[in-house]
Amino acid sequence: MKLVNKTKNRVVAEEIGIAVTFMQKTVGLLHTKEPASLFLKTRFGIHTTGMHLPIDCAVLDADFKVSAVRENIKPGHFFFWNPKFNNVIELPAGTLLRTETTLGDILALEAGL
């Protein structure tokens, strides 16, 4: 899958994993030593405890509109948001800035070609 910013017509992530099971959501990017992207559903926030790399995070509403962002979350930190939103994108640090992804943008997951 790839992640596309429909508002700005640009690719945010060429490859994005999708965490579906409880274990996939719990482990997330913890064991990743190379920059990676992940989509998951959670209302409870995320943590970077035990991670090797900082990440950017975008929280999306039901229509995949960006409702909250946090850039450069360093290992050992937490990020909480309004629990009415549960679509979460974790990205390598600097991705939101590089792709100019901001509040209000509409994102989409698309099958890779």
Side-chain angles (χ1 to χ4, degrees):
M1 298 292 284
K2 72 178 170 179
L3 180 67
V4 177
N5 184 324
K6 294 296 204 177
T7 304
K8 298 197 169 108
N9 194 30
R10 58 186 62 157
V11 174
V12 177
E14 286 289 342
E15 277 189 45
I16 185 165
I18 299 176
V20 178
T21 68
F22 176 76
M23 186 57 78
Q24 289 170 333
K25 292 175 186 179
T26 301
V27 172
L29 298 174
L30 286 176
H31 301 296
T32 306
K33 295 196 193 251
E34 298 294 324
S37 302
L38 184 69
F39 170 79
L40 64 138
K41 287 185 170 279
T42 184
R43 295 183 189 284
F44 304 109
I46 61 163
H47 71 86
T48 56
T49 303
M51 291 184 64
H52 301 281
L53 302 167
I55 61 170
D56 288 352
C57 184
V59 180
L60 316 173
D61 70 9
D63 298 319
F64 272 54
K65 181 169 118 179
V66 178
S67 301
V69 295
R70 178 75 49 88
E71 296 181 57
N72 199 32
I73 305 170
K74 302 215 180 326
H77 288 81
F78 294 87
F79 175 39
F80 300 102
W81 56 85
N82 186 327
K84 73 179 183 179
F85 305 118
N86 72 340
N87 295 307
V88 181
I89 304 287
E90 296 180 351
L91 301 158
T95 301
L96 294 174
L97 180 63
R98 179 180 49 76
T99 61
E100 299 177 345
T101 301
T102 57
L103 292 174
D105 287 355
I106 304 295
L107 306 184
L109 293 170
E110 297 181 351
L113 301 174

